[in-house]
Amino acid sequence: MAQFGSLSDRLTETFRKLRSKGRLTPSDVDGTVREIRRALLDADVALEVVKSFTAAVRERALSDEVNKALNPAQQVVQIVNEELVGILGGQQRRLEFAKRPPTVIMLAGLQGAGKTTLAGKLGKWLKKDGHTPMLVAADLQRPNAVQQLQVVGEQAGVHVFAPEPGNGVGDPVKVAKNAIKAAVDQQYDTVIVDTAGRLGVDAELMKQAANIRKAVDPDEVLFVIDAMIGQDAVNTARAFQEGVDFTGVVLSKLDGDARGGAALSVASVTGRPIMFASTGESLDDFEPFHPDRMASRILDLGDILSLIEQAQGAFDEEEARKVADKIATDNFTLNDFLQQMQQLRKAGSIKGMLGMLPGAKGMREALDNFDEREIIRTEAIIQSMTPQERELPKLLNGSRRLRIARGAGSTVTEVNALVNRFEQAAKMMKTVARGGVPQMPGMGPIPGMHGGKKQQPQTKKKKVGNPAKRAALAAGAAAAPQQAPKGAGLGLGAGAGKNGKAPTEEELASLQKFLGR
């Protein structure tokens, strides 16, 4: 969540200071509220929202629910979390579908807010949910808006109704009316109307949007707002509420690096819920908006529920069971490894999923430096192998690895590293599947656990009775510097005698006698 990165860091640091206090005084509460106020204002949250938010937090923080709490700092965090949920809309609001299809959803907003792309995202999301959506090209003024919607609709696998070429040609109200008739005739249960936008709020835009609304009588009017425009988002939202009266808000570009105060202001100011959020450029980067989950992300408490939902949507339970059986029976191959990586990519941005973990802000630098293209490069290396090589990595000799590296556009070193990582991962997964504890790289096996080997008791070596043989053994030890645990550069010294000790006078005398001196 790049949008709330700065706000989250400020709030997290504020609460960290509180955790060292066993009891909160009024001055502690005032200092905390002051820091929260500054953090919200720096995030471009509307002033009226900041005032009401901090007043509510201060009142509750000075109440008995905090004074009598075993951990006052955690209680204050809980209060801030609940108030954040409140200004974000309280509870999640779902789309309301018409009792008699088609359900008509109208999109409104400024030009550049991302309405056309969002129409494709919403259509794809509805299609996954079992609906049959149809996109309507009612933006006939912006250059190439109709063509853009057709391209987006094709990528999303959704039908596009576009009887007019656009570019200033055609009547958008007539197109919207005809789209409803076409949806009834062709049995589409949802109609998404993409309307025109402007560079600013003007009377012509509002009049056209109001006329389309009267013509199609939509079940939902979604106001698409750019989460990066800051304070102006509140003024724009109020103007659209007066001119069109939308039923819900969609936040676009929530993956940007702006301060993101619009998201914390628009629901509280307009009284309309935030229903969806666009979190990236891909058509799959679209999700229902959960106020409680978003508040948890801002406070760095994680969003495990969303993470589980993404994983469930991408991973096949039956396939996962088969892979688990293969791991347990030592039949896990590079083909299975490739399939698991491809399923992981389907779940969405790995960086985004890691960001949903509690305490992810502490891994900010590591997450920022994480390159998701590394997975694509790994897939290319595996796909450059023959089916036999994927099943039996032991066949990969030097010439084969060179061929694979050339085919994948990588180096032999990268191929070697991949094979080594795969072998280590397969070994660790096999140990875990059998109920053991894997040996971590750079660490020895854990004593007493099933995964590590039991240490064999050291046996005392018997003393060799033959002086000549004993002297020969001593000479061999002196001539093997690489076996000496310590000593000078020539391998002499501490490792020259038996048991790693210096040879005794008796052994030296025997050696001289053996050499004939």
Side-chain angles (χ1 to χ4, degrees), residues 16-83:
R16 187 184 66 79
K17 295 175 182 177
L18 281 182
R19 290 193 178 97
S20 60
K21 300 180 181 293
R23 182 177 177 276
L24 298 184
T25 64
S27 61
D28 293 330
V29 172
D30 289 339
T32 301
V33 171
R34 186 165 52 250
E35 289 296 325
I36 293 173
R37 182 187 299 112
R38 288 174 180 170
L40 292 174
L41 289 174
D42 286 345
D44 224 359
V45 180
L47 180 59
E48 58 188 284
V49 177
V50 174
K51 286 182 177 179
S52 61
F53 178 82
T54 51
V57 170
R58 186 179 187 280
E59 182 181 355
R60 292 185 60 185
L62 290 173
S63 65
D64 289 340
E65 66 176 314
V66 174
N67 293 332
K68 296 179 179 179
L70 293 176
N71 193 322
Q74 289 185 1
Q75 194 69 28
V76 172
V77 174
Q78 179 66 24
I79 290 171
V80 173
N81 182 61
E82 292 173 1
E83 294 298 328

Side-chain angles (χ1 to χ4, degrees), residues 459-463 474 477 485 494-503 507:
T459 55
K460 204 170 184 179
K461 292 183 179 179
K462 294 181 179 180
K463 186 176 179 180
K498 66 176 182 177
N499 298 328
K501 297 180 181 179
E507 289 172 338

Side-chain angles (χ1 to χ4, degrees), residues 18 38 88 143 212 241 276 311 373 413 420 474:
L18 281 182
R38 288 174 180 170
L88 288 171
I212 293 175
Q241 188 176 20
F276 295 99
R373 292 175 297 178
T413 304
N420 291 336

Side-chain angles (χ1 to χ4, degrees), residues 167-337:
N167 297 327
V169 178
D171 181 6
V173 178
K174 185 178 179 181
V175 169
K177 279 185 178 179
N178 293 337
I180 305 301
K181 297 177 182 177
V184 173
D185 294 339
Q186 300 174 31
Q187 296 185 341
Y188 289 101
D189 70 353
T190 312
V191 176
I192 303 171
V193 183
D194 179 29
T195 63
R198 290 292 188 279
L199 296 176
V201 177
D202 56 29
E204 183 183 354
L205 165 66
M206 291 304 173
K207 184 177 179 181
Q208 185 185 102
N211 290 338
I212 293 175
R213 174 162 189 166
K214 290 177 183 176
V216 300
D217 189 22
D219 300 281
E220 295 278 10
V221 179
L222 301 182
F223 173 53
V224 183
I225 188 169
D226 185 346
M228 299 175 66
I229 65 175
Q231 283 289 326
D232 197 42
V234 176
N235 300 327
T236 305
R238 280 178 171 151
F240 270 89
Q241 188 176 20
E242 294 172 3
V244 185
D245 192 22
F246 51 85
T247 60
V249 179
V250 179
L251 293 174
S252 65
K253 306 179 186 178
L254 204 59
D255 58 323
D257 57 359
R259 290 174 288 184
L264 300 177
S265 305
V266 69
S268 181
V269 169
T270 63
R272 299 291 185 267
I274 302 173
M275 298 177 63
F276 295 99
S278 174
T279 57
E281 297 180 2
S282 169
L283 293 181
D284 292 316
D285 295 331
F286 180 78
E287 59 186 36
F289 188 86
H290 299 266
D292 54 341
R293 300 183 189 181
M294 183 59 66
S296 293
R297 292 193 206 181
I298 293 172
L299 296 178
D300 198 22
L301 301 176
D303 186 3
I304 300 300
L305 288 176
S306 295
L307 186 60
I308 292 172
E309 288 174 0
Q310 284 191 22
Q312 286 177 337
F315 287 89
D316 184 7
E317 191 174 342
E318 182 63 29
E319 199 64 35
R321 191 178 293 111
K322 290 180 181 178
V323 170
D325 293 340
K326 285 187 174 184
I327 292 172
T329 56
D330 206 11
N331 290 324
F332 188 72
T333 66
L334 281 166
N335 267 327
D336 302 315
F337 187 52

Side-chain angles (χ1 to χ4, degrees), residues 263-444:
L264 300 177
S265 305
V266 69
S268 181
V269 169
T270 63
R272 299 291 185 267
I274 302 173
M275 298 177 63
F276 295 99
S278 174
T279 57
E281 297 180 2
S282 169
L283 293 181
D284 292 316
D285 295 331
F286 180 78
E287 59 186 36
F289 188 86
H290 299 266
D292 54 341
R293 300 183 189 181
M294 183 59 66
S296 293
R297 292 193 206 181
I298 293 172
L299 296 178
D300 198 22
L301 301 176
D303 186 3
I304 300 300
L305 288 176
S306 295
L307 186 60
I308 292 172
E309 288 174 0
Q310 284 191 22
Q312 286 177 337
F315 287 89
D316 184 7
E317 191 174 342
E318 182 63 29
E319 199 64 35
R321 191 178 293 111
K322 290 180 181 178
V323 170
D325 293 340
K326 285 187 174 184
I327 292 172
T329 56
D330 206 11
N331 290 324
F332 188 72
T333 66
L334 281 166
N335 267 327
D336 302 315
F337 187 52
L338 175 64
Q339 187 177 6
Q340 292 298 301
M341 281 195 300
Q342 290 172 340
Q343 285 192 342
L344 186 62
R345 285 182 60 198
K346 285 181 186 177
S349 166
I350 297 175
K351 192 182 295 186
M353 289 191 290
L354 290 174
M356 294 180 189
L357 295 173
K361 294 295 181 292
M363 303 184 292
R364 174 73 57 80
E365 187 176 350
L367 288 176
D368 290 342
N369 294 331
F370 177 73
D371 186 5
E372 298 196 28
R373 292 175 297 178
E374 187 65 33
I375 296 179
I376 300 175
R377 289 190 281 268
T378 301
E379 288 182 7
I381 293 175
I382 298 176
Q383 289 169 341
S384 297
M385 299 178 185
T386 65
Q388 189 179 19
E389 288 169 344
R390 296 182 203 177
E391 294 292 329
L392 297 171
K394 293 181 180 179
L395 296 175
L396 296 175
N397 54 22
S399 60
R400 288 175 184 257
R401 297 188 185 207
L402 179 61
R403 187 204 76 238
I404 292 166
R406 288 174 177 172
S410 62
T411 63
V412 176
T413 304
E414 291 175 331
V415 176
N416 293 339
L418 168 63
V419 174
N420 291 336
R421 286 199 306 267
F422 167 75
E423 290 175 350
Q424 290 177 359
K427 196 177 295 183
M428 288 174 64
M429 289 187 291
K430 179 183 176 183
T431 303
V432 173
R434 293 182 176 180
V437 177
Q439 179 177 333
M440 307 303 284
M443 297 175 60

Side-chain angles (χ1 to χ4, degrees), residues 90-126:
Q91 295 182 343
Q92 182 200 15
R93 221 272 266 158
R94 299 175 178 272
L95 284 174
E96 292 184 0
F97 293 94
K99 294 180 180 178
R100 184 177 179 183
T103 298
V104 181
I105 302 172
M106 174 181 166
L107 303 181
L110 295 179
Q111 184 173 320
K115 293 189 305 300
T116 303
T117 304
L118 194 129
K121 292 182 176 183
L122 179 58
K124 187 173 183 179
W125 182 79
L126 288 168

